[in-house]
Amino acid sequence: MSPEIASGNACYVIGDIQGCCDQLEQLLALISHTAPTAKILFAGDLVNRGPKSLQTLRLVKAMGARADSVLGNHDLHLLAVANGLRPAHKSDTLDEILQAPDREELLDWLRQRPLALIEQGHLLVHAGVFPAWSIEQTLALAHEVEQVLRGPDWLSLLREMYGNTPERWSDDLHGSERWRGIINALTRMRYCSLDGAMDFDSKDGMAATPPGLLPWFDIANRNSAGQPIIFGHWSTLGLVLRPDLISLDTGCVWGGKLTAVSLPGRDVLQVDCPQQQRPGKSK
């Protein structure tokens, strides 16, 4: 047992749930058996593609101050679909949320979630960090978007956030281009070119890294390299535990596992998951 668990100062971070609420309940039961008062953080993508997105949102929200989640691309997609700004995909499983009597309460809670946070010396984001960003800049830029998302112009942000540009970061970006660059890095990024441009075509694991690209976290001279980063989003990467990073998306919705890792000790808890979606069949 890790010292932080034995002392009662436990925190677990859980990877992408995507509406697989039964497996989340199983994993939370394992955590409660080990550390009943543990803080719980989620790496984003609470909803979509799995069968119980509504129940997942209700469960995480009901945990109150004990839990928090960063926003993932599927969480933002839900907000856009719910407000008529984006059509639903064939693979979406969001109808229960959209038709729920507590829909507005849940959606309002969701849009208050952060895009990045620090916990026990680790930075938590859903997908990645631009190689040019320091930890401090990442948190500041995430906060810029969070303020807009929580403010009166939040629908304008959702309306403008789609698209693959800008590929590279510049401090001179402003308005919707700036918002989009921040959101794409924090919620969608996997690979970058060697000069730091985001690539959105490649989704395979590192064994199939395309020529001229590297995982964002392996770009030389990355400015965030001094602090460990935790992220989900990349199911083909799977569980990775390195001194400088933790990758947590272990493909729950694809028939893999749902994973929790303790901080700072990095004890791993996992539950097996039935396949809810087939790779290549979902947009």
Side-chain angles (χ1 to χ4, degrees):
M1 182 180 293
S2 298
E4 72 273 7
I5 294 176
S7 68
N9 187 30
C11 175
Y12 278 87
V13 187
I14 296 177
D16 302 36
I17 302 161
Q18 294 199 248
C20 296
C21 193
D22 291 347
Q23 287 66 49
L24 174 59
E25 290 177 336
Q26 293 171 27
L27 189 57
L28 290 174
L30 289 178
I31 292 172
S32 293
H33 180 74
T34 303
T37 61
K39 183 176 183 179
I40 308 294
L41 299 177
F42 297 91
D45 278 3
L46 298 176
V47 301
N48 209 15
R49 291 181 170 160
K52 294 185 177 181
S53 290
L54 175 60
Q55 294 92 324
T56 301
L57 267 190
R58 285 174 172 166
L59 174 58
V60 177
K61 179 179 178 293
M63 295 175 73
R66 182 192 173 195
D68 204 354
S69 177
V70 294
L71 285 165
N73 54 303
H74 282 279
D75 306 317
L76 291 170
H77 175 67
L78 166 60
L79 292 173
V81 171
N83 287 279
L85 303 175
R86 193 73 173 175
H89 299 152
K90 289 183 179 179
S91 58
D92 285 351
T93 57
L94 302 173
D95 286 351
E96 274 195 320
I97 298 174
L98 300 178
Q99 298 165 11
D102 53 346
R103 155 198 164 124
E104 295 307 319
E105 181 182 345
L106 292 169
L107 295 177
D108 185 66
W109 173 85
L110 188 63
R111 75 179 177 98
Q112 307 299 320
R113 307 280 55 81
L115 281 159
L117 56 84
I118 290 283
E119 178 66 33
Q120 300 200 25
H122 292 68
L123 174 70
L124 175 63
V125 298
H126 177 62
V129 172
F130 255 122
W133 294 348
S134 67
I135 296 294
E136 293 75 17
Q137 187 177 16
T138 301
L139 290 167
L141 293 172
H143 186 59
E144 280 187 31
V145 175
E146 291 161 11
Q147 285 185 304
V148 179
L149 191 57
R150 296 167 183 173
D153 294 329
W154 68 284
L155 291 177
S156 296
L157 183 148
L158 293 179
R159 188 177 292 111
E160 299 293 334
M161 74 177 176
Y162 286 96
N164 292 340
T165 58
E167 297 176 342
R168 293 173 175 80
W169 179 254
S170 168
D171 291 335
D172 294 330
L173 290 169
H174 63 276
S176 59
E177 287 280 292
R178 186 177 179 90
W179 298 341
R180 192 182 310 117
I182 296 168
I183 290 170
N184 280 345
L186 294 174
T187 69
R188 295 181 60 208
M189 183 164 58
R190 295 181 181 91
Y191 285 105
C192 286
S193 65
L194 302 186
D195 64 351
M198 291 186 286
D199 171 84
F200 298 111
D201 295 327
S202 304
K203 299 183 179 181
D204 292 332
M206 287 193 293
T209 300
L213 300 178
L214 283 174
W216 63 265
F217 48 79
D218 281 339
I219 297 295
N221 302 314
R222 174 168 59 86
N223 284 334
S224 58
Q227 192 158 11
I229 298 177
I230 308 171
F231 60 98
H233 184 61
W234 199 344
S235 62
T236 54
L237 189 63
L239 179 64
V240 178
L241 300 173
R242 295 189 345 192
D244 62 336
L245 66 91
I246 300 174
S247 168
L248 271 182
D249 185 357
T250 45
C252 179
V253 78
W254 309 113
K257 297 179 183 293
L258 185 62
T259 299
V261 173
S262 71
L263 297 179
R266 299 193 177 193
D267 293 334
V268 176
L269 295 174
Q270 293 184 310
V271 296
D272 293 325
C273 304
Q275 188 176 57
Q276 306 293 346
Q277 295 276 348
R278 294 186 179 277
K281 299 297 184 183
S282 300
K283 186 173 179 179

